[in-house]
Amino acid sequence: QVQLVESGGGLVQAGRSLRLSCAASGRTFSFYAMGWFRQAPGNEREFVAAIRWSYGVTDYADSVKGRFTISRDNAKNTVYLQMNNLKPEDTDDYYCAAHTDRVTRIAQAIAYWGQGTQVTVST
């Protein structure tokens, strides 16, 4: 059984920063990578970033490249998303995702999700 628990969301002004955390437990040895998606009400869940567990190679959506940084702590089975220079359009629910075979940007291909954490960026 796999459990992903996110933390770190909240309300912040535009231009400020937040850091999200996702702690994984259970069959984490089966993960190829971990990452983040986000979703606004009525919208599809979209890829934000991912990091490969073994070598730390990262992928980012174009909309966050240069502002967000994903990192991991293998010893703690935890992945982080440092979000800098936040914009109102970054307001979404953010979901931690475990990639089991390869990194995918398709939400329907993700087997394991966290419960989500809300990020609200005010003007």
Side-chain angles (χ1 to χ4, degrees):
Q1 190 170 355
V2 170
Q3 189 173 23
L4 305 176
V5 179
E6 301 109 330
S7 60
L11 171 64
V12 66
Q13 286 186 322
R16 305 298 291 268
S17 300
L18 277 177
R19 189 176 82 154
L20 306 182
S21 300
C22 174
S25 60
R27 295 173 58 88
T28 58
F29 60 85
S30 66
F31 295 173
Y32 175 78
M34 288 183 66
W36 297 88
F37 284 68
R38 64 186 183 184
Q39 185 174 25
N43 290 352
E44 293 186 352
R45 196 166 291 188
E46 65 174 12
F47 173 82
V48 175
I51 185 166
R52 289 155 178 78
W53 217 228
S54 295
Y55 298 103
V57 176
T58 56
D59 291 323
Y60 294 96
D62 288 343
S63 58
V64 306
K65 204 172 291 185
R67 299 187 299 121
F68 290 11
T69 302
I70 190 169
S71 61
R72 84 234 189 273
D73 184 330
N74 290 38
K76 296 181 179 180
N77 286 332
T78 298
V79 64
Y80 305 97
L81 186 67
Q82 178 67 42
M83 305 184 293
N84 297 331
N85 189 22
L86 281 160
K87 303 176 180 181
E89 51 264 41
D90 294 318
T91 295
D92 272 326
D93 291 327
Y94 284 71
Y95 294 88
C96 182
H99 302 253
T100 53
D101 298 320
R102 63 187 187 282
V103 171
T104 177
R105 298 190 176 211
I106 302 173
Q108 291 83 352
I110 296 294
Y112 302 110
W113 293 103
Q115 80 284 357
T117 186
Q118 188 173 53
V119 172
T120 303
V121 184
S122 64
T123 55

